[in-house]
Each structure stands twice: as structure tokens, then as C-alpha cells.
Amino acid sequence: MGEKMRAVDIKGGTGPATSLFISDAIPKPTAGTGQAVVKIKAFGLNRMDLLQREGMYPVPPQGGKILGVEFSGHIESLGDGVKEGFKIGDAVFGLAYGGAYAEYIAVSTHMLLHKPEHLSWEEAAGIPEVWITATQAMYPVGEFTKGKSILWHAGASSVSIAGIQLSKAAGASAIYVTAGSQEKIDFCVKELGATAGFNYKTQDWAKEILKATNGQGVDLVIDFVGQSYFQGNLDVAARDGHIVNLGFMSGTKLPAGVDIGAFIRKRLRYEGSSLRSRDPDYQGRLRDKLEEYMPQFQDGTFKVYVEKVMPWEKVVEAHQLMETNATKGKIICTIS
């Protein structure tokens, strides 16, 4: 029998947060061609983990059953044909198709980055998924260019926190957000530099954004909510606007009476996208873009916002915390 390792498993294969447990009987991965085995120090939680745990996420074939796509740690071993510049012992962080809730992960070296000394293990583990997702939504999908305006829904979510910072650095003419509390809106505006924010619980955010833009709307909308925001997104999109949908937190079935006239009247594009289903070459190009950001993490232009760090023995509580939708930034688990 091969070596075993500890990893987070799910009782019954799928279930609520309380079904998570740490198993010590998971086969330890070995490095294939082009891969490194990384001994994980920390991993980041993402909303897709909650969906996958409940059997509601289309996991790509190479993803496996172990949750988690972003991590930091040391390279323990290398396979043949790996990317130049990596050696055993290197401190790295990266993105995987799955398997990060574990002591060890086998991952393509093309999806690894060297961890800068100024970033903690916890900060590094919270970068790959969210910053690459935000980059993908803005650029290859959303076709953002300097001077465009942008709306980030779920403004205090990790992806939007990254997106607001990217938008500001890239010269957006205005950055709007929606969020569910004044505290989150103040964070997005005062801490991150968004232009204005709107409370979806107490305001008609679509009407308020149209008012703020003198009826012009916004050029690019990044949405994670789906059904309940569909009409509002059509209403606030500017002429020739682009709506990028990354999730369906409110569901996928539209109610009767939705008016799609804006598609033609305003020449809109509504485009869905995901990162995890993309091929390695596509993900690799985004990884290279992330590497270009490293100096901005060092000079303080970009910041990693970590809401809470928990030992992985508390992974149940970590998932339950994410389910509250009360956090601002990443939830990170550490492995000792």
C-alpha cells in the first residue's frame, strides 16, 4: 500500500458543514509529469467549496473529491518536465483543480508562484482563486479598458475585494458596489476606494446606480447573484454594456415578467464564465498575469484581506462562518 496522508473528507460523500471531518486514510499524491507535490501550510475557502460539499458543483474530472483550489506551502518533490525555476524546498502558493484541503497536493508547476517573503502563508493562500477570478472577469471575459465604469456585486466578497482594487489600479472612471450592510459599504468605499455603494436590503440599488450615473448606467457589471439581480443588471448596464455572471446565489429560474428588451435597445452582452472548468493553458495565462501583480502586493497597492484564520481542525466552523455571508475577505485554514 502507498503512503497515506490526512485530508478533509465528507461523511456520506456530500452533506452539510457538520459532515466534514479529517481522515487519516487518504492516499498521498505523487508528482506526475510537470507536477510538484506541495506540503500545504494553509488553504483558502471559497463558495464553490460549499456547493461541492453539498454535491451541487460540477467538479472537473481532474478535480477529485477533496475540496479546495488554493493553497500555500513548500515543494516536497518534483516530477519530470516541470516549469523552470522551481526546486524542492521552495515556498510557493498556487491554484489547483481540487485537493487543497489536505496535507499534500500534486499540482502543475505552471500554476505555482514563488511566495514573496512579505506575504504570510495565510495571505498567500488567499490570493490565487480570487485574484485570478477577478482578473478573468474583468479582462478576457469583460474586456475592461481604462476609463470604463464597473459594478461589483457582493462588494465585500473576496473576489470583489480583489476586483475593486484591480479596477482602481486600472483607471476605472467609477467603481460601484452592492452589499448587505452599511459596514460592508463603508469598507468598500473608505478602505478599498470604491466610488459609491448601495445596500441591496434597504435600497433599490438599480435605481440608485442609475441616479448616480445620470441615467447612463455602468459599462461592466460583475454578478454572482443571478436570478434576483437579472432585471436590475439589465436596467443598470450602459449602452454596449457587458454583464459577466459568475454565480447563482439567488437561483437560476427567472420569474415571469422579466423584460429583456435592453439586450437590443442597449446592445448588451450577458456572458457567463467560470475558472475551474478552464483548460490548463487558459489558467496558466491568468497565473502569469497574477505574477505581474506581485510588485503591487509588495508596495501596498494591492492588499489581501483575511477575515479569519482557523486551524483546519475547525473546518466545520470555517464552513459555517462562510455560510453566514457576514465576512469581509478570506477565511483561511492552516495545517500544523
Side-chain angles (χ1 to χ4, degrees), residues 245-304:
N245 180 259
L246 300 178
F248 301 109
M249 291 176 64
S250 69
T252 60
K253 302 292 179 66
L254 296 179
V258 169
D259 182 357
I260 63 172
F263 279 113
I264 292 176
R265 187 175 71 254
K266 295 196 283 188
R267 302 190 297 263
L268 301 184
R269 283 182 292 165
Y270 189 104
E271 187 168 355
S273 186
S274 69
L275 175 63
R276 198 173 180 187
S277 63
R278 302 285 189 169
D279 64 60
D281 288 342
Y282 182 98
Q283 290 195 2
R285 291 193 295 272
L286 289 168
R287 172 260 179 226
D288 294 345
K289 184 69 176 174
L290 177 59
E291 189 170 40
E292 295 175 13
Y293 300 155
M294 287 302 106
Q296 289 163 289
F297 282 107
Q298 184 157 10
D299 67 20
T301 302
F302 294 155
K303 295 180 182 178
V304 184

Side-chain angles (χ1 to χ4, degrees), residues 38-42 71-75 89-93 115 121:
V38 176
K39 182 174 173 54
I40 293 178
K41 296 277 290 185
F71 58 89
S72 62
H74 288 107
I75 293 178
D90 281 352
V92 294
F93 63 108
K115 185 185 83 66
W121 293 111

Side-chain angles (χ1 to χ4, degrees), residues 43 55 64-65 75 85 99 112 159 180 206 224 232 260 265 280 286 301 317 329:
F43 59 83
K65 71 171 187 174
I75 293 178
L112 291 177
V159 173
F224 311 86
I260 63 172
R265 187 175 71 254
L286 289 168
T301 302
E317 292 94 324

Side-chain angles (χ1 to χ4, degrees), residues 221-232:
V221 177
I222 312 295
D223 177 44
F224 311 86
V225 182
Q227 175 263 325
S228 65
Y229 279 18
F230 187 85
Q231 185 69 67

Side-chain angles (χ1 to χ4, degrees), residues 10-273:
I10 307 169
K11 297 170 188 172
T14 61
T18 51
S19 64
L20 297 174
F21 72 102
I22 297 176
S23 168
D24 59 4
I26 305 297
K28 180 182 175 182
T30 56
T33 302
Q35 290 186 325
V37 169
V38 176
K39 182 174 173 54
I40 293 178
K41 296 277 290 185
F43 59 83
L45 273 64
N46 291 283
R47 193 159 294 278
M48 76 176 84
D49 302 345
L50 309 186
L51 296 172
Q52 183 178 338
R53 187 198 72 216
E54 295 180 347
M56 297 169 60
Y57 189 93
V59 182
Q62 61 272 57
K65 71 171 187 174
I66 298 174
L67 303 174
V69 297
E70 58 183 351
F71 58 89
S72 62
H74 288 107
I75 293 178
E76 186 195 59
S77 62
L78 292 165
D80 297 327
V82 298
K83 183 181 175 72
E84 289 185 10
F86 290 103
K87 65 183 185 302
I88 292 172
D90 281 352
V92 294
F93 63 108
L95 185 71
Y97 284 103
Y101 286 28
E103 287 184 300
Y104 298 92
I105 189 170
V107 61
S108 168
T109 50
H110 286 275
M111 294 310 297
L112 291 177
L113 296 97
H114 290 283
K115 185 185 83 66
E117 288 188 6
H118 64 87
L119 289 176
S120 68
W121 293 111
E122 295 83 2
E123 289 172 327
I127 290 176
E129 169 66 19
V130 295
W131 284 83
I132 288 177
T133 295
T135 298
Q136 178 198 30
M138 278 182 66
Y139 291 109
V141 181
E143 299 178 348
F144 177 86
T145 54
K146 184 178 180 180
K148 286 187 175 182
S149 57
I150 189 166
L151 165 62
W152 290 91
H153 286 304
S157 68
S158 296
V159 173
S160 290
I161 288 171
I164 293 164
Q165 295 179 74
L166 287 169
S167 302
K168 184 178 179 182
S173 59
I175 306 165
Y176 299 105
V177 300
T178 61
S181 71
Q182 191 60 45
E183 179 191 5
K184 288 183 176 181
I185 289 169
D186 289 344
F187 168 72
C188 292
V189 174
K190 297 176 182 178
E191 177 74 18
L192 301 178
T195 306
F198 306 94
N199 188 329
Y200 66 83
K201 293 181 179 178
T202 61
Q203 295 175 287
D204 184 330
W205 59 265
K207 285 185 178 178
E208 294 299 323
I209 289 172
L210 286 172
K211 192 185 300 181
T213 59
N214 296 315
Q216 297 301 304
V218 293
D219 299 308
L220 179 58
V221 177
I222 312 295
D223 177 44
F224 311 86
V225 182
Q227 175 263 325
S228 65
Y229 279 18
F230 187 85
Q231 185 69 67
N233 287 336
L234 297 184
D235 294 342
V236 302
R239 178 168 286 182
D240 295 316
H242 200 158
I243 302 163
V244 177
N245 180 259
L246 300 178
F248 301 109
M249 291 176 64
S250 69
T252 60
K253 302 292 179 66
L254 296 179
V258 169
D259 182 357
I260 63 172
F263 279 113
I264 292 176
R265 187 175 71 254
K266 295 196 283 188
R267 302 190 297 263
L268 301 184
R269 283 182 292 165
Y270 189 104
E271 187 168 355
S273 186

